Amino acid sequence: AITGFEALCRWKHPERGYIPPTKFIPIAVEAGLIVQLGAWVLHEACRQIREWQGGDLDGLPVAINLSGQQFSQSDVYRDVVNAIKEHGISANLLELELTESELMADANKTIFTLGKLKQAGLSIAVDDFGTGYSSLAYLNRFPIDALKIDQSFSLESVDGNDNFPICSAIIALAHSLKMKVIAEGVETVEHQRELVALSCDEM
């Protein structure tokens, strides 16, 4: 069953075709445009949620990625709440994703801001979990709803790689902390079945 969507940017260049975010995001950061890009993504996601209301996809949440700069250079709580109100959608239909490194950049400020966002009704997920650096003690302090396992763990685990115990441990850790687990990059039925066997919630 479809449980939700994630909004991801792709740059459709008139000559070079589709350019992936690994290419243009660093440029946006260097040019000082990443906060504006993040704001645009936020409003586009809210607009799409609103457009789906009353149709077959009504009620399905959309996840967006937040950058560290959005946290440090803008009032994320104000921006997100204003966007939700402007587009007339429910807060529980928007999920915010941050990486471990972004969470840990200013942990105390992040805990405060995420707490306000949670109170407003939004869901919070840690993206690419296991690839960055964080303290497990802090993981329990952040108001997090879901951990997203990086595809390098979830897929290699299924393919017989040594990462199998890591993937299994992340799922067990998340569940013990009452968090949902989402595996990224799943493209085959085989991968789906193996992750279901590991009690992975979504993929």
Side-chain angles (χ1 to χ4, degrees):
I2 296 174
T3 58
F5 300 91
E6 180 178 2
L8 298 169
C9 283
R10 297 294 182 269
W11 178 10
K12 189 177 181 181
H13 192 279
E15 297 174 358
R16 301 181 183 180
Y18 281 101
I19 300 175
T22 52
K23 298 286 187 182
F24 68 78
I25 291 295
I27 297 172
V29 172
E30 187 178 339
L33 297 172
I34 192 66
V35 174
Q36 293 94 317
L37 178 60
W40 178 80
V41 170
L42 168 63
H43 280 272
E44 277 296 293
C46 291
R47 182 195 62 77
Q48 184 64 72
I49 292 170
R50 173 72 181 186
E51 193 173 296
W52 282 336
Q53 287 184 354
D56 294 338
L57 301 179
D58 191 6
L60 290 174
V62 175
I64 62 170
N65 295 284
L66 293 180
S67 69
Q69 287 88 339
Q70 282 178 279
F71 257 82
S72 62
Q73 298 178 22
S74 65
D75 186 339
V76 173
Y77 174 78
R78 178 201 63 203
D79 295 344
V80 170
V81 170
N82 285 347
I84 288 170
K85 290 179 179 178
E86 180 180 332
H87 294 276
I89 65 169
S90 299
N92 63 358
L93 295 180
L94 191 65
E95 183 175 271
L96 307 177
E97 297 185 3
L98 296 99
T99 64
E100 290 173 273
S101 57
E102 289 162 347
L103 283 171
M104 298 301 295
D106 186 344
N108 289 330
K109 179 182 178 182
T110 302
I111 291 171
F112 175 75
T113 302
L114 293 185
K116 289 171 62 180
L117 290 166
K118 279 278 293 179
Q119 288 179 349
L122 289 101
S123 296
I124 311 295
V126 180
D127 200 13
D128 302 332
F129 184 76
T131 61
Y133 171 80
S134 69
S135 163
L136 293 180
Y138 272 109
L139 186 61
N140 199 33
R141 289 181 59 195
F142 289 118
I144 297 166
D145 299 288
L147 295 184
K148 299 187 71 178
I149 304 177
D150 187 77
Q151 65 182 21
S152 62
F153 292 120
S154 59
L155 299 192
E156 289 178 4
S157 296
V158 174
D159 292 334
N161 188 280
D162 289 339
N163 282 329
F164 179 88
I166 296 177
C167 187
S168 179
I170 291 174
I171 293 171
L173 171 68
H175 286 167
S176 70
L177 295 172
K178 310 299 184 200
M179 297 176 188
K180 180 174 64 178
V181 187
I182 305 168
E184 296 185 300
V186 179
E187 298 180 353
T188 69
V189 174
E190 180 191 6
H191 286 144
Q192 178 196 14
R193 287 173 179 164
E194 292 292 339
L195 288 163
V196 167
L198 288 175
S199 299
C200 186
D201 303 299
E202 297 178 6
M203 53 211 73

